[in-house]
Each structure stands twice: as C-alpha cells, then as structure tokens.
Amino acid sequence: MDIEKYIRNIADFPKQGIQFKDITPLLANKDASAQCLENLLQLVGGQKIDKVVGIESRGFFFGTLLAQKLNAGFIPIRKPGKLPYTTLKESYQLEYGMDALEIHEDAIKKGDRVLLHDDVLATGGTASAACSLIEKLGGEIVQCNFLIELKGLNGIQKLKKHIVNSLLQY
C-alpha cells in the first residue's frame, strides 16, 4: 500500500510560506495506518529498544504503537508546562520561530536504549532538542525515525551523530 497518498499538503499553515504535511488522512485510514506502523517497525529492525520517545503531539500517535510492538516503554516529550512532574527543558529554533521541549527528569535511566520518533523532520531543531534531553538523562539513542523528512530544510544535518530513517521524503 502506498501510504504517501494519505499525506495531505496544506499551504501556508501554520504560517505563510509553510507547506504543512498533514498526516490526519493517514491516521483516519485503518489499513494505511497499519501499513505505516509496519513500515516504521521495519526501520528499527530487530534492535533492542527500552524506551520510545515521542515528540508532542503528532509523534505520540505512532510512538505509542511502536512502544507496544517493541515491548518498550513510551516517554512523551512535550511543550513547556504540559508535564506534571519535575522536568528538564531544552530550547530550539523552528523553521517558523523559537520553542522549547520538556521531559520528566526520571523518564529515562542511564543506558536505556531509546528510539526517538516524530512525524516530520524539517529543520531538525525539535529532534535535536529531544536528542539533547534524552542524552542528558543518560539515554542511548539507537535511532531517530520519522514518517516524513523534508529534505530541502536539511534537518538531518542537526542529527549527524545519530542513525536517522524516514518513510517518506519530500
């Protein structure tokens, strides 16, 4: 099944000049989302994963499913003020501004093998900040995987020291 046909382009969202890749049609189709999950699992191969970290909010959809399939825990990374316990914080540059991410300070133990998952790799700011948080807690990033990589924004350069895989590239 070609999951790419379930990705919708939205012009000028969330700001003028941004071509947003909308995955909601993919999520709405049970067969396409099941195929997407299987494709993401193939990217991981047989590697041992202790924790899957998903980035708010669209990284949560497949991140939780990947964690279940990999017999791993799921850890959310969220925008500031959204997590109820003591957190670590990391600021980063988006393609359309500045933002920050937080993770619970006890979410990852030293030596945990971590799969980072998000829906889109754009400039790499979000993923790089997430990797920094994981590493500050002592996690070993086994792989960063994405549904979509926007190659023209060259975000993979910010993740050079990690294995990075994506299902679709634009």
Side-chain angles (χ1 to χ4, degrees), residues 47-107:
Q47 297 185 81
K48 180 188 180 321
I49 304 294
D50 298 308
K51 304 278 174 61
V52 175
V53 172
I55 301 173
E56 182 174 334
S57 69
R58 295 181 312 158
F60 295 174
F61 300 127
F62 286 104
T64 55
L65 297 172
L66 284 164
Q68 288 175 358
K69 292 282 189 178
L70 294 168
N71 197 30
F74 176 78
I75 307 298
I77 285 187
R78 301 204 64 192
K79 306 264 176 165
K82 302 287 186 176
L83 292 171
Y85 187 64
T86 308
T87 61
L88 293 179
K89 182 177 183 176
E90 186 80 21
S91 295
Y92 64 98
Q93 178 82 35
L94 291 168
E95 65 268 28
Y96 47 84
M98 289 291 296
D99 214 335
L101 294 174
E102 294 181 339
I103 190 171
H104 280 151
E105 68 178 5
D106 63 350

Side-chain angles (χ1 to χ4, degrees), residues 4-5 8 20 22 40 46 53-54 75 77-78 85 99 107 115 121 152 170:
E4 188 169 11
K5 70 181 185 178
R8 176 171 42 205
F20 186 80
D22 181 16
L40 288 168
V53 172
I75 307 298
I77 285 187
R78 301 204 64 192
Y85 187 64
D99 214 335
L115 169 66
L121 173 59
Y170 294 94

Side-chain angles (χ1 to χ4, degrees), residues 18 95 120-124 150-158 170:
I18 303 292
E95 65 268 28
V120 175
L121 173 59
T123 64
L150 303 176
K151 290 187 78 67
L153 296 175
N154 214 21
I156 200 164
Q157 289 302 311
K158 289 186 180 162
Y170 294 94

